[in-house]
Amino acid sequence: MADAARLSAPYPDGVPDPVPDPVPDPALVARLRAAGCVFAEEEAEVLRSSAASPGHLEQLVRRRVAGEPLEYVVGWVAFDGGRVEVDPGVFVPRQRTAYLVELAAPLLTRGDTVLDLCCGTGALGLALARRVAGLVVHAGDVDPAAVACAARNLAEVGGTAVVGDLASALPPVLRGTVAVIVANVPYVPTGAVALMPPESREHEPRGTVDGGPDGLDLLRRVAGLAPAWLRPGGTVLSEVSLAQAPAARDAFAHAGLVATVHHDEEREATVVSGRRSL
Ligand SMILES: C[S@@+](CC[C@H](N)C(=O)[O-])C[C@H]1O[C@@H](n2cnc3c(N)ncnc32)[C@H](O)[C@@H]1O
């Protein structure tokens, strides 16, 4: 959360940002550390910069100390250099997923259409539209809470979000016209969900992470639908684990796409892409 600490507070116009305080309150840091927060200094600054008053800060700190994810407590996360609103119960965008955005952005130009499937907060579509002006972003998620959050986030860039299974609720007229599909689907194998950190297990709905027996159930379905929605030369990109990459690449190749695995060692991020031939 070090990035988040450098951004301004998430309040609408009319609510003043607190005066920046570069030195975190040692008592607050100690409280957070005692509660098990590893990045206590950074979290203290995020909490302080998100609080409108000392009383509000105390409310936020109590929620955080009780184990609620920081992003739910403050209502936002820093992602790909910008701020994304996050509602409780909606998947918190992970920093490693900015790698997928970095891979997708150079494939896009003004006027292109992007689908953000399994959009959660809409962070991927939003980040792409912030990087490339003039994109048309359509997002979808099966969870109405996620769609409400994504619709709010995407309003900034004129994007829309709809409730539905994968692409089922998206306008059929988009078929064959899409430049890029970003689909950060749930990809944790069912048997590994119990091994996830408690903050995720206890606060993020299981349906946001559980990808079936080998984690690739949703990815295979995305591979199956992508060729019909992509324009010739268009590309679908999904994040997976490094261990899943060969099977994910095979799924995209089996769907007739030109499949490639991308890996960023530093962020431990792996993305498989599939390009529809021209
Ligand atoms: C791992 S989260 C990713 C969210 C977001 N793309 C991100 O990277 O922050 C997966 C999302 O897929 C959604 N989801 C799960 N099954 C789905 C389905 N069949 N159709 C559409 N969305 C689904 C979940 O509700 C969740 O928001």
mmCIF file of all heavy atoms in Angstrom, residues 86-136:
data_model
loop_
_atom_site.group_PDB
_atom_site.id
_atom_site.type_symbol
_atom_site.label_atom_id
_atom_site.label_comp_id
_atom_site.label_asym_id
_atom_site.label_seq_id
_atom_site.Cartn_x
_atom_site.Cartn_y
_atom_site.Cartn_z
ATOM 1 N N VAL A 86 -13.243 0.733 -4.028
ATOM 2 C CA VAL A 86 -13.485 -0.685 -3.717
ATOM 3 C C VAL A 86 -14.577 -0.766 -2.659
ATOM 4 O O VAL A 86 -14.446 -0.176 -1.584
ATOM 5 C CB VAL A 86 -12.221 -1.367 -3.140
ATOM 6 C CG1 VAL A 86 -12.463 -2.865 -2.988
ATOM 7 C CG2 VAL A 86 -11.009 -1.104 -4.012
ATOM 8 N N ASP A 87 -15.648 -1.507 -2.959
ATOM 9 C CA ASP A 87 -16.724 -1.706 -1.984
ATOM 10 C C ASP A 87 -16.508 -3.015 -1.235
ATOM 11 O O ASP A 87 -15.998 -3.987 -1.814
ATOM 12 C CB ASP A 87 -18.085 -1.765 -2.693
ATOM 13 C CG ASP A 87 -18.478 -0.431 -3.293
ATOM 14 O OD1 ASP A 87 -17.895 0.606 -2.907
ATOM 15 O OD2 ASP A 87 -19.370 -0.427 -4.170
ATOM 16 N N PRO A 88 -16.928 -3.075 0.029
ATOM 17 C CA PRO A 88 -16.817 -4.333 0.765
ATOM 18 C C PRO A 88 -17.484 -5.478 -0.003
ATOM 19 O O PRO A 88 -18.565 -5.309 -0.578
ATOM 20 C CB PRO A 88 -17.563 -4.043 2.078
ATOM 21 C CG PRO A 88 -17.391 -2.571 2.257
ATOM 22 C CD PRO A 88 -17.451 -1.988 0.865
ATOM 23 N N GLY A 89 -16.811 -6.630 -0.034
ATOM 24 C CA GLY A 89 -17.359 -7.802 -0.714
ATOM 25 C C GLY A 89 -16.987 -7.883 -2.184
ATOM 26 O O GLY A 89 -17.294 -8.873 -2.838
ATOM 27 N N VAL A 90 -16.344 -6.830 -2.696
ATOM 28 C CA VAL A 90 -15.897 -6.846 -4.091
ATOM 29 C C VAL A 90 -14.393 -7.145 -4.092
ATOM 30 O O VAL A 90 -13.654 -6.621 -3.247
ATOM 31 C CB VAL A 90 -16.189 -5.494 -4.790
ATOM 32 C CG1 VAL A 90 -15.699 -5.509 -6.232
ATOM 33 C CG2 VAL A 90 -17.687 -5.198 -4.738
ATOM 34 N N PHE A 91 -13.955 -7.985 -5.026
ATOM 35 C CA PHE A 91 -12.547 -8.390 -5.090
ATOM 36 C C PHE A 91 -11.633 -7.163 -5.119
ATOM 37 O O PHE A 91 -11.838 -6.239 -5.917
ATOM 38 C CB PHE A 91 -12.329 -9.239 -6.341
ATOM 39 C CG PHE A 91 -10.944 -9.799 -6.490
ATOM 40 C CD1 PHE A 91 -10.585 -10.988 -5.873
ATOM 41 C CD2 PHE A 91 -9.999 -9.131 -7.252
ATOM 42 C CE1 PHE A 91 -9.305 -11.505 -6.011
ATOM 43 C CE2 PHE A 91 -8.716 -9.639 -7.403
ATOM 44 C CZ PHE A 91 -8.367 -10.826 -6.786
ATOM 45 N N VAL A 92 -10.610 -7.173 -4.269
ATOM 46 C CA VAL A 92 -9.654 -6.064 -4.214
ATOM 47 C C VAL A 92 -8.607 -6.258 -5.321
ATOM 48 O O VAL A 92 -7.912 -7.286 -5.328
ATOM 49 C CB VAL A 92 -8.943 -6.010 -2.848
ATOM 50 C CG1 VAL A 92 -7.908 -4.891 -2.834
ATOM 51 C CG2 VAL A 92 -9.957 -5.834 -1.719
ATOM 52 N N PRO A 93 -8.493 -5.317 -6.259
ATOM 53 C CA PRO A 93 -7.489 -5.472 -7.321
ATOM 54 C C PRO A 93 -6.092 -5.649 -6.717
ATOM 55 O O PRO A 93 -5.722 -4.937 -5.785
ATOM 56 C CB PRO A 93 -7.576 -4.143 -8.083
ATOM 57 C CG PRO A 93 -8.940 -3.618 -7.785
ATOM 58 C CD PRO A 93 -9.261 -4.081 -6.392
ATOM 59 N N ARG A 94 -5.347 -6.630 -7.257
ATOM 60 C CA ARG A 94 -4.004 -6.900 -6.767
ATOM 61 C C ARG A 94 -2.982 -6.104 -7.585
ATOM 62 O O ARG A 94 -3.159 -5.919 -8.796
ATOM 63 C CB ARG A 94 -3.683 -8.392 -6.857
ATOM 64 C CG ARG A 94 -4.708 -9.311 -6.179
ATOM 65 C CD ARG A 94 -4.871 -9.028 -4.692
ATOM 66 N NE ARG A 94 -5.391 -10.179 -3.974
ATOM 67 C CZ ARG A 94 -6.655 -10.333 -3.530
ATOM 68 N NH1 ARG A 94 -7.551 -9.381 -3.752
ATOM 69 N NH2 ARG A 94 -7.004 -11.423 -2.874
ATOM 70 N N GLN A 95 -1.902 -5.719 -6.937
ATOM 71 C CA GLN A 95 -0.890 -4.903 -7.619
ATOM 72 C C GLN A 95 -0.298 -5.643 -8.817
ATOM 73 O O GLN A 95 0.019 -5.035 -9.842
ATOM 74 C CB GLN A 95 0.203 -4.475 -6.638
ATOM 75 C CG GLN A 95 -0.307 -3.587 -5.508
ATOM 76 C CD GLN A 95 -1.061 -2.359 -6.030
ATOM 77 O OE1 GLN A 95 -0.589 -1.672 -6.933
ATOM 78 N NE2 GLN A 95 -2.233 -2.093 -5.473
ATOM 79 N N ARG A 96 -0.140 -6.963 -8.720
ATOM 80 C CA ARG A 96 0.492 -7.710 -9.816
ATOM 81 C C ARG A 96 -0.319 -7.624 -11.111
ATOM 82 O O ARG A 96 0.222 -7.765 -12.207
ATOM 83 C CB ARG A 96 0.703 -9.177 -9.441
ATOM 84 C CG ARG A 96 -0.547 -10.024 -9.442
ATOM 85 C CD ARG A 96 -0.204 -11.503 -9.523
ATOM 86 N NE ARG A 96 0.500 -11.953 -8.346
ATOM 87 C CZ ARG A 96 -0.083 -12.356 -7.208
ATOM 88 N NH1 ARG A 96 -1.398 -12.368 -7.114
ATOM 89 N NH2 ARG A 96 0.613 -12.753 -6.178
ATOM 90 N N THR A 97 -1.617 -7.363 -10.980
ATOM 91 C CA THR A 97 -2.486 -7.360 -12.163
ATOM 92 C C THR A 97 -2.221 -6.142 -13.052
ATOM 93 O O THR A 97 -2.641 -6.118 -14.218
ATOM 94 C CB THR A 97 -3.956 -7.456 -11.714
ATOM 95 O OG1 THR A 97 -4.088 -8.598 -10.859
ATOM 96 C CG2 THR A 97 -4.901 -7.633 -12.879
ATOM 97 N N ALA A 98 -1.484 -5.159 -12.530
ATOM 98 C CA ALA A 98 -1.096 -4.028 -13.389
ATOM 99 C C ALA A 98 -0.228 -4.514 -14.553
ATOM 100 O O ALA A 98 -0.152 -3.866 -15.604
ATOM 101 C CB ALA A 98 -0.352 -2.972 -12.573
ATOM 102 N N TYR A 99 0.410 -5.672 -14.384
ATOM 103 C CA TYR A 99 1.212 -6.247 -15.488
ATOM 104 C C TYR A 99 0.316 -6.524 -16.695
ATOM 105 O O TYR A 99 0.680 -6.241 -17.835
ATOM 106 C CB TYR A 99 1.892 -7.523 -14.988
ATOM 107 C CG TYR A 99 2.744 -8.230 -16.019
ATOM 108 C CD1 TYR A 99 3.699 -7.540 -16.775
ATOM 109 C CD2 TYR A 99 2.612 -9.601 -16.232
ATOM 110 C CE1 TYR A 99 4.484 -8.198 -17.706
ATOM 111 C CE2 TYR A 99 3.396 -10.265 -17.157
ATOM 112 C CZ TYR A 99 4.328 -9.562 -17.900
ATOM 113 O OH TYR A 99 5.106 -10.217 -18.815
ATOM 114 N N LEU A 100 -0.863 -7.070 -16.446
ATOM 115 C CA LEU A 100 -1.808 -7.358 -17.539
ATOM 116 C C LEU A 100 -2.188 -6.052 -18.256
ATOM 117 O O LEU A 100 -2.255 -5.994 -19.487
ATOM 118 C CB LEU A 100 -3.045 -8.056 -16.967
ATOM 119 C CG LEU A 100 -4.032 -8.706 -17.946
ATOM 120 C CD1 LEU A 100 -4.859 -9.767 -17.216
ATOM 121 C CD2 LEU A 100 -4.967 -7.700 -18.568
ATOM 122 N N VAL A 101 -2.392 -5.001 -17.474
ATOM 123 C CA VAL A 101 -2.719 -3.690 -18.059
ATOM 124 C C VAL A 101 -1.564 -3.199 -18.927
ATOM 125 O O VAL A 101 -1.764 -2.697 -20.045
ATOM 126 C CB VAL A 101 -3.031 -2.671 -16.937
ATOM 127 C CG1 VAL A 101 -3.200 -1.263 -17.505
ATOM 128 C CG2 VAL A 101 -4.282 -3.096 -16.171
ATOM 129 N N GLU A 102 -0.344 -3.381 -18.427
ATOM 130 C CA GLU A 102 0.840 -2.932 -19.187
ATOM 131 C C GLU A 102 0.961 -3.687 -20.514
ATOM 132 O O GLU A 102 1.424 -3.130 -21.509
ATOM 133 C CB GLU A 102 2.113 -3.160 -18.355
ATOM 134 C CG GLU A 102 2.247 -2.182 -17.223
ATOM 135 C CD GLU A 102 3.325 -2.597 -16.226
ATOM 136 O OE1 GLU A 102 4.234 -3.380 -16.585
ATOM 137 O OE2 GLU A 102 3.237 -2.155 -15.068
ATOM 138 N N LEU A 103 0.577 -4.951 -20.515
ATOM 139 C CA LEU A 103 0.640 -5.737 -21.756
ATOM 140 C C LEU A 103 -0.476 -5.347 -22.725
ATOM 141 O O LEU A 103 -0.284 -5.345 -23.945
ATOM 142 C CB LEU A 103 0.522 -7.237 -21.433
ATOM 143 C CG LEU A 103 1.697 -7.858 -20.672
ATOM 144 C CD1 LEU A 103 1.320 -9.248 -20.181
ATOM 145 C CD2 LEU A 103 2.940 -7.929 -21.557
ATOM 146 N N ALA A 104 -1.643 -5.015 -22.174
ATOM 147 C CA ALA A 104 -2.803 -4.739 -23.029
ATOM 148 C C ALA A 104 -2.755 -3.330 -23.634
ATOM 149 O O ALA A 104 -3.171 -3.142 -24.789
ATOM 150 C CB ALA A 104 -4.094 -4.914 -22.217
ATOM 151 N N ALA A 105 -2.263 -2.358 -22.875
ATOM 152 C CA ALA A 105 -2.359 -0.958 -23.315
ATOM 153 C C ALA A 105 -1.728 -0.697 -24.689
ATOM 154 O O ALA A 105 -2.329 0.001 -25.526
ATOM 155 C CB ALA A 105 -1.763 -0.037 -22.250
ATOM 156 N N PRO A 106 -0.540 -1.256 -24.969
ATOM 157 C CA PRO A 106 0.068 -0.960 -26.282
ATOM 158 C C PRO A 106 -0.712 -1.547 -27.463
ATOM 159 O O PRO A 106 -0.422 -1.201 -28.613
ATOM 160 C CB PRO A 106 1.455 -1.618 -26.182
ATOM 161 C CG PRO A 106 1.694 -1.861 -24.739
ATOM 162 C CD PRO A 106 0.349 -2.058 -24.111
ATOM 163 N N LEU A 107 -1.664 -2.427 -27.193
ATOM 164 C CA LEU A 107 -2.454 -3.025 -28.278
ATOM 165 C C LEU A 107 -3.628 -2.146 -28.669
ATOM 166 O O LEU A 107 -4.378 -2.481 -29.591
ATOM 167 C CB LEU A 107 -2.991 -4.396 -27.830
ATOM 168 C CG LEU A 107 -1.957 -5.396 -27.287
ATOM 169 C CD1 LEU A 107 -2.645 -6.656 -26.775
ATOM 170 C CD2 LEU A 107 -0.938 -5.730 -28.373
ATOM 171 N N LEU A 108 -3.791 -1.031 -27.956
ATOM 172 C CA LEU A 108 -5.010 -0.230 -28.095
ATOM 173 C C LEU A 108 -4.729 1.169 -28.625
ATOM 174 O O LEU A 108 -3.666 1.739 -28.381
ATOM 175 C CB LEU A 108 -5.694 -0.115 -26.730
ATOM 176 C CG LEU A 108 -6.299 -1.423 -26.220
ATOM 177 C CD1 LEU A 108 -6.550 -1.356 -24.725
ATOM 178 C CD2 LEU A 108 -7.583 -1.730 -26.984
ATOM 179 N N THR A 109 -5.739 1.699 -29.296
ATOM 180 C CA THR A 109 -5.654 3.074 -29.769
ATOM 181 C C THR A 109 -7.044 3.711 -29.668
ATOM 182 O O THR A 109 -8.046 2.999 -29.496
ATOM 183 C CB THR A 109 -5.086 3.104 -31.210
ATOM 184 O OG1 THR A 109 -4.855 4.451 -31.574
ATOM 185 C CG2 THR A 109 -6.046 2.465 -32.185
ATOM 186 N N ARG A 110 -7.082 5.033 -29.727
ATOM 187 C CA ARG A 110 -8.337 5.786 -29.593
ATOM 188 C C ARG A 110 -9.472 5.169 -30.423
ATOM 189 O O ARG A 110 -9.260 4.800 -31.577
ATOM 190 C CB ARG A 110 -8.088 7.227 -30.038
ATOM 191 C CG ARG A 110 -9.308 8.110 -30.065
ATOM 192 C CD ARG A 110 -8.959 9.509 -30.500
ATOM 193 N NE ARG A 110 -8.232 10.241 -29.462
ATOM 194 C CZ ARG A 110 -8.798 10.840 -28.424
ATOM 195 N NH1 ARG A 110 -10.107 10.819 -28.284
ATOM 196 N NH2 ARG A 110 -8.069 11.474 -27.531
ATOM 197 N N GLY A 111 -10.629 5.047 -29.796
ATOM 198 C CA GLY A 111 -11.797 4.533 -30.503
ATOM 199 C C GLY A 111 -11.977 3.023 -30.393
ATOM 200 O O GLY A 111 -13.033 2.501 -30.749
ATOM 201 N N ASP A 112 -10.941 2.317 -29.915
ATOM 202 C CA ASP A 112 -11.041 0.855 -29.792
ATOM 203 C C ASP A 112 -12.026 0.460 -28.686
ATOM 204 O O ASP A 112 -12.231 1.209 -27.718
ATOM 205 C CB ASP A 112 -9.674 0.247 -29.454
ATOM 206 C CG ASP A 112 -8.792 0.099 -30.681
ATOM 207 O OD1 ASP A 112 -9.308 0.249 -31.805
ATOM 208 O OD2 ASP A 112 -7.585 -0.157 -30.505
ATOM 209 N N THR A 113 -12.582 -0.738 -28.848
ATOM 210 C CA THR A 113 -13.494 -1.287 -27.850
ATOM 211 C C THR A 113 -12.769 -2.322 -26.996
ATOM 212 O O THR A 113 -12.060 -3.190 -27.516
ATOM 213 C CB THR A 113 -14.703 -1.954 -28.541
ATOM 214 O OG1 THR A 113 -15.421 -0.954 -29.264
ATOM 215 C CG2 THR A 113 -15.623 -2.614 -27.526
ATOM 216 N N VAL A 114 -12.981 -2.216 -25.669
ATOM 217 C CA VAL A 114 -12.392 -3.137 -24.698
ATOM 218 C C VAL A 114 -13.519 -3.800 -23.927
ATOM 219 O O VAL A 114 -14.451 -3.129 -23.482
ATOM 220 C CB VAL A 114 -11.479 -2.358 -23.709
ATOM 221 C CG1 VAL A 114 -11.029 -3.267 -22.570
ATOM 222 C CG2 VAL A 114 -10.286 -1.767 -24.428
ATOM 223 N N LEU A 115 -13.430 -5.118 -23.755
ATOM 224 C CA LEU A 115 -14.316 -5.824 -22.824
ATOM 225 C C LEU A 115 -13.524 -6.151 -21.576
ATOM 226 O O LEU A 115 -12.430 -6.710 -21.669
ATOM 227 C CB LEU A 115 -14.844 -7.125 -23.422
ATOM 228 C CG LEU A 115 -15.675 -7.087 -24.699
ATOM 229 C CD1 LEU A 115 -16.252 -8.483 -24.972
ATOM 230 C CD2 LEU A 115 -16.779 -6.046 -24.622
ATOM 231 N N ASP A 116 -14.084 -5.813 -20.412
ATOM 232 C CA ASP A 116 -13.489 -6.209 -19.129
ATOM 233 C C ASP A 116 -14.437 -7.245 -18.528
ATOM 234 O O ASP A 116 -15.454 -6.902 -17.926
ATOM 235 C CB ASP A 116 -13.337 -4.966 -18.232
ATOM 236 C CG ASP A 116 -12.652 -5.284 -16.905
ATOM 237 O OD1 ASP A 116 -12.458 -6.483 -16.604
ATOM 238 O OD2 ASP A 116 -12.327 -4.329 -16.169
ATOM 239 N N LEU A 117 -14.101 -8.539 -18.753
ATOM 240 C CA LEU A 117 -14.953 -9.620 -18.249
ATOM 241 C C LEU A 117 -14.511 -9.991 -16.835
ATOM 242 O O LEU A 117 -13.328 -9.953 -16.527
ATOM 243 C CB LEU A 117 -14.858 -10.849 -19.163
ATOM 244 C CG LEU A 117 -15.240 -10.631 -20.625
ATOM 245 C CD1 LEU A 117 -15.182 -11.966 -21.384
ATOM 246 C CD2 LEU A 117 -16.627 -10.016 -20.744
ATOM 247 N N CYS A 118 -15.476 -10.384 -15.988
ATOM 248 C CA CYS A 118 -15.160 -10.657 -14.575
ATOM 249 C C CYS A 118 -14.513 -9.410 -13.986
ATOM 250 O O CYS A 118 -13.438 -9.440 -13.391
ATOM 251 C CB CYS A 118 -14.251 -11.857 -14.425
ATOM 252 S SG CYS A 118 -14.992 -13.396 -14.978
ATOM 253 N N CYS A 119 -15.201 -8.276 -14.149
ATOM 254 C CA CYS A 119 -14.577 -6.962 -13.944
ATOM 255 C C CYS A 119 -14.339 -6.588 -12.494
ATOM 256 O O CYS A 119 -13.516 -5.719 -12.212
ATOM 257 C CB CYS A 119 -15.406 -5.880 -14.619
ATOM 258 S SG CYS A 119 -17.045 -5.630 -13.875
ATOM 259 N N GLY A 120 -15.057 -7.193 -11.527
ATOM 260 C CA GLY A 120 -14.892 -6.755 -10.143
ATOM 261 C C GLY A 120 -15.137 -5.255 -10.037
ATOM 262 O O GLY A 120 -16.187 -4.745 -10.451
ATOM 263 N N THR A 121 -14.146 -4.513 -9.539
ATOM 264 C CA THR A 121 -14.269 -3.052 -9.416
ATOM 265 C C THR A 121 -14.213 -2.338 -10.762
ATOM 266 O O THR A 121 -14.424 -1.125 -10.820
ATOM 267 C CB THR A 121 -13.106 -2.481 -8.587
ATOM 268 O OG1 THR A 121 -11.876 -2.806 -9.265
ATOM 269 C CG2 THR A 121 -13.090 -3.034 -7.167
ATOM 270 N N GLY A 122 -13.856 -3.077 -11.820
ATOM 271 C CA GLY A 122 -13.642 -2.428 -13.131
ATOM 272 C C GLY A 122 -12.254 -1.846 -13.265
ATOM 273 O O GLY A 122 -11.976 -1.066 -14.181
ATOM 274 N N ALA A 123 -11.353 -2.269 -12.371
ATOM 275 C CA ALA A 123 -10.012 -1.663 -12.319
ATOM 276 C C ALA A 123 -9.245 -1.806 -13.633
ATOM 277 O O ALA A 123 -8.532 -0.873 -14.034
ATOM 278 C CB ALA A 123 -9.204 -2.305 -11.189
ATOM 279 N N LEU A 124 -9.407 -2.936 -14.313
ATOM 280 C CA LEU A 124 -8.607 -3.149 -15.527
ATOM 281 C C LEU A 124 -9.093 -2.238 -16.661
ATOM 282 O O LEU A 124 -8.293 -1.578 -17.324
ATOM 283 C CB LEU A 124 -8.661 -4.614 -15.961
ATOM 284 C CG LEU A 124 -8.238 -5.655 -14.931
ATOM 285 C CD1 LEU A 124 -8.073 -7.014 -15.585
ATOM 286 C CD2 LEU A 124 -6.964 -5.243 -14.244
ATOM 287 N N GLY A 125 -10.398 -2.214 -16.874
ATOM 288 C CA GLY A 125 -10.934 -1.347 -17.919
ATOM 289 C C GLY A 125 -10.638 0.120 -17.623
ATOM 290 O O GLY A 125 -10.295 0.896 -18.522
ATOM 291 N N LEU A 126 -10.763 0.478 -16.349
ATOM 292 C CA LEU A 126 -10.495 1.863 -15.948
ATOM 293 C C LEU A 126 -9.029 2.223 -16.193
ATOM 294 O O LEU A 126 -8.727 3.286 -16.765
ATOM 295 C CB LEU A 126 -10.853 2.042 -14.466
ATOM 296 C CG LEU A 126 -10.549 3.399 -13.847
ATOM 297 C CD1 LEU A 126 -11.305 4.517 -14.553
ATOM 298 C CD2 LEU A 126 -10.896 3.391 -12.354
ATOM 299 N N ALA A 127 -8.130 1.334 -15.788
ATOM 300 C CA ALA A 127 -6.699 1.624 -15.952
ATOM 301 C C ALA A 127 -6.345 1.753 -17.433
ATOM 302 O O ALA A 127 -5.573 2.641 -17.821
ATOM 303 C CB ALA A 127 -5.874 0.518 -15.296
ATOM 304 N N LEU A 128 -6.932 0.894 -18.275
ATOM 305 C CA LEU A 128 -6.656 0.993 -19.712
ATOM 306 C C LEU A 128 -7.173 2.311 -20.273
ATOM 307 O O LEU A 128 -6.503 2.980 -21.058
ATOM 308 C CB LEU A 128 -7.287 -0.191 -20.450
ATOM 309 C CG LEU A 128 -6.553 -1.522 -20.267
ATOM 310 C CD1 LEU A 128 -7.378 -2.673 -20.840
ATOM 311 C CD2 LEU A 128 -5.170 -1.476 -20.926
ATOM 312 N N ALA A 129 -8.372 2.693 -19.864
ATOM 313 C CA ALA A 129 -8.956 3.935 -20.384
ATOM 314 C C ALA A 129 -8.208 5.162 -19.869
ATOM 315 O O ALA A 129 -8.203 6.208 -20.522
ATOM 316 C CB ALA A 129 -10.433 4.005 -20.009
ATOM 317 N N ARG A 130 -7.592 5.037 -18.689
ATOM 318 C CA ARG A 130 -6.773 6.154 -18.206
ATOM 319 C C ARG A 130 -5.465 6.241 -18.992
ATOM 320 O O ARG A 130 -4.913 7.318 -19.172
ATOM 321 C CB ARG A 130 -6.471 5.962 -16.704
ATOM 322 C CG ARG A 130 -7.633 6.322 -15.806
ATOM 323 C CD ARG A 130 -7.336 5.945 -14.369
ATOM 324 N NE ARG A 130 -8.350 6.463 -13.447
ATOM 325 C CZ ARG A 130 -8.464 6.060 -12.175
ATOM 326 N NH1 ARG A 130 -7.644 5.150 -11.684
ATOM 327 N NH2 ARG A 130 -9.394 6.580 -11.408
ATOM 328 N N ARG A 131 -4.976 5.082 -19.468
ATOM 329 C CA ARG A 131 -3.717 5.080 -20.222
ATOM 330 C C ARG A 131 -3.931 5.488 -21.679
ATOM 331 O O ARG A 131 -3.059 6.111 -22.275
ATOM 332 C CB ARG A 131 -3.099 3.675 -20.209
ATOM 333 C CG ARG A 131 -2.327 3.344 -18.940
ATOM 334 C CD ARG A 131 -1.841 1.907 -19.005
ATOM 335 N NE ARG A 131 -1.008 1.561 -17.875
ATOM 336 C CZ ARG A 131 0.309 1.338 -17.957
ATOM 337 N NH1 ARG A 131 0.914 1.412 -19.108
ATOM 338 N NH2 ARG A 131 1.002 1.034 -16.875
ATOM 339 N N VAL A 132 -5.049 5.040 -22.263
ATOM 340 C CA VAL A 132 -5.294 5.265 -23.702
ATOM 341 C C VAL A 132 -6.592 6.057 -23.843
ATOM 342 O O VAL A 132 -7.685 5.527 -23.601
ATOM 343 C CB VAL A 132 -5.408 3.920 -24.456
ATOM 344 C CG1 VAL A 132 -5.591 4.162 -25.947
ATOM 345 C CG2 VAL A 132 -4.198 3.032 -24.191
ATOM 346 N N ALA A 133 -6.488 7.302 -24.244
ATOM 347 C CA ALA A 133 -7.677 8.158 -24.340
ATOM 348 C C ALA A 133 -8.616 7.650 -25.436
ATOM 349 O O ALA A 133 -8.175 7.114 -26.461
ATOM 350 C CB ALA A 133 -7.250 9.591 -24.646
ATOM 351 N N GLY A 134 -9.915 7.791 -25.184
ATOM 352 C CA GLY A 134 -10.899 7.540 -26.227
ATOM 353 C C GLY A 134 -11.297 6.088 -26.403
ATOM 354 O O GLY A 134 -11.896 5.735 -27.419
ATOM 355 N N LEU A 135 -10.995 5.221 -25.422
ATOM 356 C CA LEU A 135 -11.445 3.825 -25.514
ATOM 357 C C LEU A 135 -12.920 3.728 -25.182
ATOM 358 O O LEU A 135 -13.465 4.545 -24.435
ATOM 359 C CB LEU A 135 -10.665 2.944 -24.536
ATOM 360 C CG LEU A 135 -9.169 2.778 -24.760
ATOM 361 C CD1 LEU A 135 -8.593 1.804 -23.733
ATOM 362 C CD2 LEU A 135 -8.867 2.321 -26.182
ATOM 363 N N VAL A 136 -13.570 2.685 -25.699
ATOM 364 C CA VAL A 136 -14.952 2.378 -25.348
ATOM 365 C C VAL A 136 -14.903 1.113 -24.483
ATOM 366 O O VAL A 136 -14.511 0.051 -24.969
ATOM 367 C CB VAL A 136 -15.801 2.127 -26.614
ATOM 368 C CG1 VAL A 136 -17.232 1.779 -26.233
ATOM 369 C CG2 VAL A 136 -15.742 3.343 -27.530
#
